[in-house]
Amino acid sequence: MDYSDIAGDLTEVLLTEQQIHDKIEELARRIETDYAGRNILLVGVLKGAVMVMADLARALKMPLEMDWMAVSSYGSGTQSSGVVRILKDLDTDLHDRNVLIVEDIIDSGLTLSWLRANLESRGAESVEICALLRKPEAAKVHVDVKYEGFSIPNAFVVGYGLDFAEKYRNFRDIGVLAPHVYA
Ligand code: IMP
């Protein structure tokens, strides 16, 4: 595939497809061990987590179920406020389920901290988080992430499901968006 149009919008490739693949395999081995014999429900957060979910679910050599939520954070501009609205709820009853939330990126942490509390209140046996990326410098609240892929600098990244204005989700690597794109 020719990505030359996309490459011009990036300042650098932060993580290659291969690095992402290797990390997801590594996380999958840990999850298989931790959840052996337990019924695991992967909950993907639309839309950014679609690629992580698809790859993680297939890397996991164990029975599992998948469900999806879509949430939107009220806020000014690009700033997350922590006040979250559910746009699409789960179809699954969480009673006695072992829920693993699958996320693309944790920025301020506000969305995920709200989501975790929300899912815990539905009677799940356990709720844990798997996030491919985390920006420690952007954290506004502490979120306990059991399965973390990469810690990255506080820059706006796209690709592998992550978008800017709905674009770049299909770029296979993860790159830093050039300021001229959003300036
Ligand atoms: P938080 O509530 O600030 O942690 O917001 C997390 C959400 O913001 C993620 O699920 C993404 O949808 C979005 N987001 C945060 N940082 C980035 C980024 O660098 N690129 C693309 N989306 C991002």
Side-chain angles (χ1 to χ4, degrees):
M1 193 174 196
D2 181 7
Y3 281 126
S4 53
D5 287 348
I6 293 178
D9 289 349
L10 305 176
T11 54
E12 62 171 315
V13 168
L14 205 58
L15 297 163
T16 64
E17 184 178 9
Q18 186 64 49
Q19 286 174 300
I20 298 166
H21 171 85
D22 292 349
K23 182 60 76 177
I24 286 185
E25 288 293 331
E26 185 188 312
L27 293 175
R29 298 296 82 77
R30 285 179 48 204
I31 294 168
E32 282 165 359
T33 306
D34 294 351
Y35 286 86
R38 294 155 79 194
N39 64 346
I40 186 170
L41 174 71
L42 302 181
V43 170
V45 186
L46 293 168
K47 304 170 191 168
V50 166
M51 308 299 178
V52 194
M53 181 72 139
D55 286 343
L56 179 68
R58 288 178 296 177
L60 286 168
K61 297 180 185 70
M62 64 192 294
L64 57 82
E65 288 173 38
M66 284 182 254
D67 204 346
W68 299 92
M69 270 184 97
V71 295
S72 102
S73 176
Y74 289 105
S76 53
T78 54
Q79 292 295 305
S80 174
S81 66
V83 183
V84 177
R85 185 163 56 114
I86 296 176
L87 303 177
K88 187 231 168 282
D89 208 343
L90 299 172
D91 300 321
T92 316
D93 178 359
L94 296 191
H95 246 100
D96 301 329
R97 299 304 305 263
N98 292 289
V99 175
L100 181 60
I101 302 173
V102 178
E103 252 293 31
D104 48 359
I105 189 165
I106 305 180
D107 190 26
S108 70
L110 292 167
T111 308
L112 216 43
S113 133
W114 180 91
L115 189 60
R116 175 187 218 140
N118 180 283
L119 299 189
E120 276 170 349
S121 74
R122 302 186 195 194
E125 186 175 318
S126 66
V127 180
E128 297 292 353
I129 294 168
C130 175
L132 182 67
L133 308 173
R134 166 136 66 172
K135 296 183 194 171
E137 292 158 41
K140 287 194 184 147
V141 286
H142 172 75
V143 184
D144 192 13
V145 181
K146 190 157 184 189
Y147 308 98
E148 180 182 318
F150 301 95
S151 188
I152 63 164
N154 196 5
F156 199 84
V157 293
V158 293
Y160 196 69
L162 292 155
D163 76 308
F164 174 69
E166 295 301 325
K167 285 173 67 185
Y168 311 107
R169 290 194 199 275
N170 63 324
F171 186 57
R172 300 179 82 104
D173 303 327
I174 291 173
V176 176
L177 195 63
H180 74 80
V181 179
Y182 51 85

